[in-house]
Amino acid sequence: IDTFDKMEAKVIKSVPELEKLGSMLKMHGLPFSDLDRESIVAFGFYDNDFLIGTGAIEELNDSCLLRSLSVNIDFRNRGLGNEIIVFLEQKAKNKGHDSVYILTEIPEYFRNKKYKDINRDKAPSSIKNSSEFSQLCPESASLMMKII
């Protein structure tokens, strides 16, 4: 458990917790059907016991994909999204990655966080072969990368 100024992060592993996380992602129109995969570490971000945010990292050989980022609508515009992103980037760095990728429908948000647009054709094969890239996210989703 990691504690922030406003929230606490917990790894989500159990089926009931994954279902809660999936419900929140579904509410935000984000993919969630494969969160039980071995390569994915999902996090719930809590205010006391109330789920206020979600995020995950997926390790794909030499690449790391940030995914499942959401903040409860009642907790938006408080910097929590940024805290979740920084938290996930640090987790990826701690696992030995020097960059992270994300697929997003809101690229301007991530450009403000130093993410760079990557042509989907130029994605590493490990990213291209991920279910997020190949099946779950629409082709309209921007692929972005950041050196961490």
Side-chain angles (χ1 to χ4, degrees):
I1 297 177
D2 292 289
T3 304
F4 297 87
D5 182 32
K6 303 171 187 106
M7 63 185 167
E8 170 177 84
K10 298 178 188 172
V11 174
I12 303 293
K13 290 184 181 177
S14 74
V15 171
E17 289 174 317
L18 283 170
E19 287 173 353
K20 280 184 196 173
L21 190 126
S23 293
M24 187 165 174
L25 292 171
K26 184 177 182 180
M27 201 169 46
H28 293 287
L30 296 170
F32 59 90
S33 61
D34 66 341
L35 287 178
D36 58 351
R37 293 174 57 132
E38 191 96 359
S39 60
I40 298 172
V41 180
F43 296 92
F45 298 87
Y46 296 86
D47 180 12
N48 295 313
D49 288 329
F50 185 71
L51 182 64
I52 61 171
T54 64
I57 59 172
E58 182 170 9
E59 289 192 272
L60 301 159
N61 299 324
D62 58 345
S63 301
C64 188
L65 188 62
L66 301 190
R67 50 179 297 176
S68 309
L69 299 166
S70 72
V71 174
N72 180 302
I73 198 153
D74 295 330
F75 289 82
R76 290 195 176 162
N77 300 313
R78 300 182 192 183
L80 299 178
N82 189 62
E83 284 188 49
I84 292 171
I85 292 165
V86 169
F87 174 86
L88 295 173
E89 290 171 348
Q90 189 59 52
K91 290 293 182 189
K93 191 171 192 151
N94 292 348
K95 291 178 171 282
H97 298 280
D98 58 7
S99 63
V100 290
Y101 292 84
I102 188 161
L103 287 156
T104 182
E105 294 280 343
I106 52 169
E108 58 284 346
Y109 179 81
F110 289 93
R111 284 184 196 117
N112 291 332
K113 297 177 182 345
K114 300 185 179 170
Y115 281 77
K116 304 289 183 209
D117 293 278
I118 301 287
N119 185 312
R120 288 175 68 105
D121 295 337
K122 305 280 188 214
S125 60
S126 57
I127 297 290
K128 284 183 181 177
N129 293 330
S130 72
S131 59
E132 177 111 333
F133 186 96
S134 63
Q135 300 166 13
L136 299 175
C137 282
E139 285 196 24
S140 59
S142 296
L143 177 65
M144 305 185 85
M145 188 267 290
K146 180 180 180 181
I147 306 276
I148 50 174

